[in-house]
Amino acid sequence: MAEPFAEYREVKAADPLRQGDVLEAADGAATMWRRHLLVMTADCDFAYAKHQGRVTCVPLLAADEYLREMQIPKIREQLVKRQLKELRQIFSNATVPAIGDRRLREWASEQAPADIVKMLDLGESDAQKARAALEAIGIMDALPGSLKESVDLLVKAQLVGVGPPKRDSAVKKVVNHLRGVYTQPPGDALFLSAIGPGQESGYFAYLRHIEQVWEPEIARGPSHTEVAYRRISRMRDRFTHALVQRFAMVFMSIGLPQQYEELRDLHAAIQGDNLG
């Protein structure tokens, strides 16, 4: 009978620390950015001690945490834009002072929509739309405590905003985006169904956030000494290579200012003239 699939494999305490090892914080109160880490330091750096004892890692975030922190804000920004556009259209037809988008969002969180609309002295039709837009923005910019609460707020905001969709459409607009992240993740993340024994609820390796751990503070197996991290598994080679490749791509293409390129070309031309 075939064994169940997992992206990781078990590792023995005698095995040296290697790229692709998964570390778990000894401190149960560690932040999500340090709770589980994936070692990115190259094997050759370990072999020749080129890393100077500092182990470079990226966080392995629980799926709910990753979606709440990294994807919900993207959905929120898209939904807020529509309501801000409605407000700008209303204000362009009224004698309302110019108000930036940032201030509008702050205002919607500071005061009740009805009070804001009263201050703006809008006509009845515009006042109704402005109240709806401001209420939607205020709901979207609230700070929920969980992924489910975040989704519920974004759905609710669509339903109270200007031109509300049907509930099913509002739900799909949020949930379909989140589902898509699993099958087509952004270039700086990769989904892993499991990262170690008992850690099988789904995770995203997030490759833009880098942590460093002092190697002596990592226990490779059961240990009686006090450590900051213990190794719990190792990613299988294919997944380690895929993650390292993505990690390299995140930082490979760095755009430089046009002024720099112009000066670079000037120096090259001068050098050519001097040597020609």
Side-chain angles (χ1 to χ4, degrees):
M1 184 176 178
E3 294 184 1
F5 171 80
E7 296 92 337
Y8 72 90
R9 65 180 179 85
E10 294 186 15
V11 61
K12 298 177 181 178
D15 293 338
L17 198 64
R18 287 290 182 263
Q19 187 177 74
D21 283 358
V22 177
L23 312 180
E24 183 176 65
D27 181 3
T31 68
M32 68 179 197
W33 301 105
R34 296 185 63 86
R35 190 181 305 131
H36 290 102
L37 301 176
L38 179 72
V39 174
M40 301 301 290
T41 298
D43 290 348
C44 63
D45 288 351
F46 283 121
Y48 296 101
K50 292 190 290 184
H51 63 309
Q52 301 297 314
R54 294 180 176 84
V55 180
T56 299
C57 306
V58 295
L60 296 166
L61 306 177
D64 279 12
E65 293 174 332
Y66 170 78
L67 295 174
R68 185 191 68 216
E69 292 291 325
M70 309 307 301
Q71 296 301 321
I72 287 293
K74 295 179 181 180
I75 304 172
R76 178 190 298 122
E77 290 304 310
Q78 289 300 315
L79 296 177
V80 165
K81 280 181 182 178
R82 182 173 178 228
Q83 300 304 319
L84 289 172
K85 181 179 179 181
E86 293 287 350
L87 285 174
R88 285 196 297 270
Q89 181 63 40
I90 293 167
F91 293 170
S92 68
N93 298 325
T95 56
V96 176
I99 307 173
D101 289 351
R102 181 176 177 180
R103 180 56 193 145
L104 274 173
R105 293 178 72 166
E106 292 173 347
W107 205 5
S109 299
E110 294 167 356
Q111 289 185 266
D115 294 338
I116 297 174
V117 170
K118 187 176 180 179
M119 293 171 61
L120 295 174
D121 193 27
L122 299 171
E124 184 176 348
S125 177
D126 284 344
Q128 185 177 357
K129 288 183 179 180
R131 273 196 303 271
L134 290 164
E135 184 176 358
I137 292 170
I139 292 171
M140 283 188 265
D141 281 342
L143 297 175
S146 70
L147 177 63
K148 182 63 168 63
E149 290 172 355
S150 298
V151 171
D152 289 346
L153 285 176
L154 292 180
V155 170
K156 179 182 178 182
Q158 293 179 76
L159 299 179
V160 303
V162 179
K166 292 183 178 180
R167 180 175 177 80
D168 285 350
S169 297
V171 172
K172 286 180 180 178
K173 185 166 288 188
V174 179
V175 173
N176 286 354
H177 176 104
L178 298 178
R179 284 177 176 165
V181 175
Y182 286 81
T183 55
Q184 294 182 313
D188 58 7
L190 185 68
F191 175 73
L192 300 167
S193 64
I195 59 172
Q199 309 293 340
E200 301 171 348
S201 57
Y203 296 80
F204 280 89
Y206 183 56
L207 305 173
R208 289 191 185 274
H209 184 103
I210 297 174
E211 294 281 349
Q212 286 198 325
V213 181
W214 185 237
E215 187 172 357
E217 295 182 345
I218 302 172
R220 292 179 294 177
S223 175
H224 296 292
T225 59
E226 187 174 341
V227 293
Y229 284 89
R230 64 184 184 91
R231 179 176 60 182
I232 61 172
S233 68
R234 177 175 293 167
M235 286 289 116
R236 297 187 183 276
D237 289 347
R238 177 171 292 185
F239 292 95
T240 296
H241 296 159
L243 285 160
V244 170
Q245 182 184 54
R246 281 175 174 258
F247 181 75
M249 291 298 293
V250 167
F251 298 101
M252 183 179 292
S253 180
I254 305 296
L256 297 173
Q258 182 179 350
Q259 295 91 330
Y260 161 79
E261 295 180 354
E262 291 172 353
L263 284 171
R264 176 200 60 197
D265 294 346
L266 176 60
H267 279 269
I270 293 172
Q271 186 68 286
D273 290 343
N274 290 339
L275 297 175

